Amino acid sequence: MASSKPFSTIVHPYPTKESPNRNACAYETGLSSARNAFVFVGGLGDGPHTVPYARAIARELEKHSRLSYSVFEPKTRSAFSGWKFSCLANDVADISEFVRYLRGLGKSKIILMGHSTGCQGLMEYAAKSSDPVDGFILQAPVSDREASLVGKGIDEEKRLDEIVNIAKDMILSGKGDHPMSHDHLSNDYNRPMSARRFYDLHAKDGNDNYFGSDISNEVASGYWKKFDKPLLILHSGMDRYMEPSRDKMAQIDGWKAMCNPGIVSDLSGVIPGTGHSVRQPKGEEWLVNTVVEFLESTAAAPSSSL
């Protein structure tokens, strides 16, 4: 498990031209002389250094110096509590700006890894960014709408749909960026939150709904076919944000079938015995080893910067 002891990092302040991400910076750990970059993007409420396994990956990559990767954690506008008034489009703009910065540093290969809602950000990146990278990793790709309903009944689902409609009315009346009433948000959300963000996360047609089981194969395949570089998909075996009855491997296989042939790595699978953010030692070890094996499998491919 990632150590809680002090650790060193290099701070990269970088200029932003297209993304209004003021005081943008990223934090680098591991091999600072590496020629390749591994970029980690967390989920809702996350920011640099909040997901311990990112540092565990950096430590392991130091042992595999021939792969020549260091780990970067950029602070996007969605980081920490910023997600409540941000959106996936901002994530794409911020990550794209950082990718351009890394290319300016001379980085050869760039791999993007998303955790939780960071996966939605990478889905959006694959579809809409014009800045190519060399691979993607999705860890704990769950539907935020379905996550909010795990263990709850039909009454809670109806209540959620009522609040979604309130958010929709606010958006249509030009108040999409206004905060939702506290009466409409549970304590789970550490309120406030904009109407637009609530809608994107919880509506069946919300912009964040890439992984919902209610998405038709026709619509979903349009998303997955946007990936044109190697893709690793990893579910957490004991993810509390998914119904226990969900066949996680079957879901991965379904997504794999929607992608272009050869895109999804055969290393994709379910991390055994671990929760959403992989804080169990054995699960973390399994994840780290699989990530390194994935990077080894892509080592011979030419850089997208060429």
Side-chain angles (χ1 to χ4, degrees):
M1 188 170 181
S3 172
S4 60
K5 296 179 180 179
F7 63 96
S8 298
T9 184
I10 297 175
V11 183
H12 288 258
Y14 61 95
T16 57
K17 297 178 180 179
E18 298 180 17
S19 164
N21 187 13
R22 295 183 59 191
N23 303 316
C25 63
Y27 302 84
E28 180 184 11
T29 52
L31 299 170
S32 60
S33 61
R35 65 179 180 274
N36 303 316
F38 186 97
V39 181
F40 180 79
V41 182
L44 300 184
D46 286 323
H49 317 313
T50 62
V51 180
Y53 72 66
R55 296 198 299 281
I57 291 173
R59 289 201 309 275
E60 189 65 22
L61 287 173
E62 287 186 281
K63 302 175 186 177
H64 294 77
S65 57
R66 62 185 176 78
L67 288 174
S68 197
Y69 277 94
S70 60
V71 174
F72 292 84
E73 297 185 64
K75 182 178 178 295
T76 66
R77 281 173 283 174
S78 293
F80 303 116
S81 62
W83 66 270
K84 292 178 284 186
F85 285 84
S86 192
C87 60
L88 293 184
N90 288 348
D91 295 343
V92 171
D94 293 349
I95 298 169
S96 295
E97 197 86 65
F98 184 58
V99 166
R100 290 193 288 274
Y101 170 77
L102 291 172
R103 295 299 186 196
L105 293 181
K107 298 300 181 183
S108 179
K109 289 188 176 182
I110 299 175
I111 302 292
L112 302 182
M113 179 174 187
H115 161 66
S116 193
T117 309
C119 296
Q120 280 91 319
L122 298 197
M123 295 290 290
E124 189 98 346
Y125 190 96
K128 298 182 179 179
S129 177
S130 59
D131 295 284
V133 295
D134 300 278
F136 298 86
I137 302 174
L138 307 180
Q139 190 274 312
V142 300
S143 161
D144 290 289
R145 172 185 169 81
E146 293 177 359
S148 69
L149 294 172
V150 169
K152 299 179 180 177
I154 189 66
D155 290 341
E156 287 86 352
E157 184 173 0
K158 288 180 179 178
R159 174 60 177 161
L160 177 62
D161 288 337
E162 290 173 359
I163 301 173
V164 165
N165 287 331
I166 291 170
K168 183 176 183 179
D169 289 342
M170 290 178 65
I171 294 169
L172 293 175
S173 65
K175 297 181 179 180
D177 294 328
H178 290 209
M180 299 279 289
S181 167
H182 284 194
D183 295 338
H184 298 142
L185 300 176
S186 70
N187 291 330
D188 296 339
Y189 296 110
N190 190 16
R191 36 202 191 193
M193 185 193 311
S194 75
R196 190 178 309 279
R197 187 58 163 171
F198 187 92
Y199 188 90
D200 284 347
L201 289 168
H202 298 97
K204 293 180 180 180
D205 61 344
N207 289 334
D208 287 54
N209 192 18
Y210 279 108
F211 305 127
S213 59
D214 52 6
I215 304 175
S216 69
N217 286 345
E218 181 180 5
V219 171
S221 63
Y223 301 148
W224 291 99
K225 280 185 166 52
K226 296 295 184 180
F227 286 101
D228 60 357
K229 296 294 181 181
L231 171 64
L232 176 66
I233 308 173
L234 300 173
H235 268 312
S236 294
M238 299 174 62
D239 199 322
R240 65 191 178 99
Y241 295 116
M242 297 181 71
E243 290 289 353
S245 60
R246 175 68 58 84
D247 188 333
K248 299 177 179 67
M249 194 65 226
Q251 187 177 54
I252 292 174
D253 288 339
W255 291 338
K256 182 177 182 178
M258 295 180 197
C259 289
N260 293 315
I263 291 295
V264 178
S265 171
D266 289 338
L267 295 168
S268 298
V270 181
I271 307 170
T274 194
H276 184 67
S277 54
V278 195
R279 293 177 183 267
Q280 294 76 10
K282 289 184 178 180
E284 181 182 87
E285 181 181 6
W286 190 100
L287 167 63
V288 168
N289 289 339
T290 302
V291 166
V292 170
E293 192 172 350
F294 174 71
L295 295 179
E296 289 175 336
S297 73
T298 64
S303 167
S304 62
S305 65
L306 299 178

